[in-house]
Amino acid sequence: MSPETSLNGSTLEIRGLRKSFGGANVVDDLDISLNPGEFVSLLGPSGCGKTTTLRMIAGFENADAGQILLDGTDISALPANKREVNTVFQSYALFPHMSVAGNVAYGLRQRRVPKAELAERVADALQLVRLDALADRRPAQLSGGQQQRVALARALVNRPRVLLLDEPLAALDRQLREEVQVELRLIQSRLKTTFLFVTHDQHEALAMSDRVAIMNAGRIEQLDEPETVYERPATRFVAGFVGQQNFFEGLTGSVDELTGPDGVRFRAAGRADATQGSPTSVAIRPEAVELQPAAEREDLPVAPNACAATVEAVNVLGESRQYVCRTDSGKTLLVRTPRTAEHQRFATGTRVLATWRPEDVLVFTG
């Protein structure tokens, strides 16, 4: 496996997968398909069933029902060591008494791979993760990011058809985590191995994945490209879980114009699906809200997709500036703008008019 070699990822298909513990459904009739060479993330809150799903695919847990298909072949009844999938765990599980090379070679030795082939594959795997110069070190002599790459090389050296990753970056600090995210994505793109990545970190999932599956209560609520999941969440749960939203509840009227109990009116564009059922809430991303001094608009009535508010707090969030505003009806409204000179800044106590576009209004029914 040279760095240029593709492992030719496989198709992974899950059909009607179920698992319960103590009578409670942890994974409930789950369906998902991964294309060859695709990077898919399972994203969801703790307890949603994502790690249990991964463990059933790996063969560490038996499913109560359903099928796990690898290139069309049902592997549900196979033991873990016969499934041609490998797992990278959150803890890395490196052997402290072995060198880096020894850890990477462990699985090949268990398979009794000939020494010459073993040495070549270990060298290739370490070169791939840029650890060939550290082959003789022990895990305790490595940084957290380097240990993570050893665990990745140990999994990839076995040439799995699918690689499963169970929150492998969770133990890293933020800066190192972001660096390893980039490296991991580059390695996956180069090898074209099918990756199924479990995380509860939405930024991680959106940054790395070809598609993201949002899990809730053992089911997948949406499976889409990261941009679609963020900009067009399919359900209210997805809208609230991925990123931040300003939610307005208790709306009445038609999809053409909805009115909240505080009198704020909303018009939405491109939401024909919202005509099915009764719209009850809308969501607007903080970065979709624009602010201007209220004094400049005092002579105009407040139109749809606008409301008056007062700035209560200003927070600098690295690349952005967040305004915590209070509407005249007492609702908290978050507004986020780029922290650049051309964007007008507002001090605490400033009266503002908040506006947003119809295409940024998300309507949820039921």
Side-chain angles (χ1 to χ4, degrees), residues 24-305:
N25 289 333
V26 178
V27 177
D28 189 10
D29 202 24
L30 185 143
D31 296 305
I32 185 173
S33 295
L34 279 68
N35 300 316
E38 189 175 29
F39 193 127
V40 173
S41 289
L42 284 180
L43 174 65
S46 297
C48 72
K50 55 188 186 296
T51 293
T52 300
T53 298
L54 204 75
R55 290 179 60 81
M56 286 190 286
I57 296 171
F60 302 140
E61 295 280 358
N62 294 321
D64 295 335
Q67 292 180 300
I68 302 168
L69 305 175
L70 191 60
D71 286 333
T73 300
D74 191 348
I75 63 171
S76 305
L78 294 179
N81 64 339
K82 300 293 184 181
R83 293 199 178 193
E84 295 188 85
V85 301
N86 274 90
T87 307
V88 178
F89 299 99
Q90 179 178 339
S91 63
Y92 311 145
L94 301 179
F95 297 110
H97 64 286
M98 291 185 182
S99 66
V100 166
N103 270 278
V104 175
Y106 179 78
L108 299 180
R109 288 199 176 99
Q110 296 299 109
R111 295 182 179 185
R112 302 185 184 277
V113 173
K115 289 185 177 180
E117 180 185 351
L118 182 148
E120 180 181 2
R121 287 170 64 172
V122 169
D124 285 345
L126 290 177
Q127 183 181 358
L128 179 69
V129 298
R130 298 189 294 112
L131 289 177
D132 42 317
L134 306 180
D136 295 328
R137 290 194 183 182
R138 296 288 191 269
Q141 298 173 304
L142 304 178
S143 69
Q146 289 169 336
Q147 290 182 38
Q148 190 274 341
R149 283 186 276 155
V150 174
L152 180 62
R154 185 176 60 183
L156 290 173
V157 78
N158 294 312
R159 298 176 179 172
R161 293 160 68 182
V162 174
L163 186 65
L164 309 174
L165 302 103
D166 187 10
E167 303 206 47
L169 312 184
L172 306 180
D173 61 60
R174 179 178 176 181
Q175 182 175 352
L176 182 56
R177 187 171 184 158
E178 291 177 352
E179 292 173 0
V180 177
Q181 286 174 14
V182 174
E183 290 188 9
L184 184 59
R185 187 58 168 123
L186 288 173
I187 289 171
Q188 191 274 338
S189 298
R190 192 181 311 164
L191 293 180
K192 304 300 182 186
T193 307
T194 305
F195 275 31
L196 182 59
F197 187 93
V198 161
T199 182
H200 65 273
D201 187 314
Q202 56 186 271
H203 299 290
E204 193 167 83
L206 295 175
M208 299 174 67
S209 310
D210 295 313
R211 290 188 297 159
V212 179
I214 309 297
M215 285 192 69
N216 180 35
R219 292 176 175 266
I220 292 177
E221 298 224 355
Q222 185 171 2
L223 173 60
D224 265 312
E225 294 179 356
E227 187 174 10
T228 302
V229 168
Y230 187 83
E231 294 186 354
R232 291 297 167 193
T235 67
R236 193 188 188 287
F237 172 83
V238 175
F241 183 77
V242 180
Q244 287 185 297
Q245 296 276 12
N246 292 297
F247 280 103
F248 295 82
E249 311 287 353
L251 305 177
T252 58
S254 69
V255 72
D256 295 325
E257 183 167 310
L258 302 166
T259 303
D262 55 3
V264 178
R265 293 178 290 154
F266 301 87
R267 287 180 181 170
R271 294 290 304 196
D273 58 318
T275 60
Q276 300 176 3
S278 301
T280 59
S281 63
V282 301
I284 304 166
R285 296 279 185 198
E287 64 269 24
V289 182
E290 295 186 2
L291 296 180
Q292 57 184 287
E296 297 180 5
R297 298 290 299 272
E298 284 181 350
D299 58 326
L300 298 177
V302 176
N305 294 339

Side-chain angles (χ1 to χ4, degrees), residues 311-333:
V311 177
E312 289 197 333
V314 183
N315 304 317
V316 176
L317 306 178
E319 71 281 359
S320 65
R321 186 180 301 274
Q322 180 171 275
Y323 296 95
V324 181
C325 302
R326 183 75 61 185
T327 69
D328 289 351
S329 64
K331 176 178 173 53
T332 299
L333 181 70

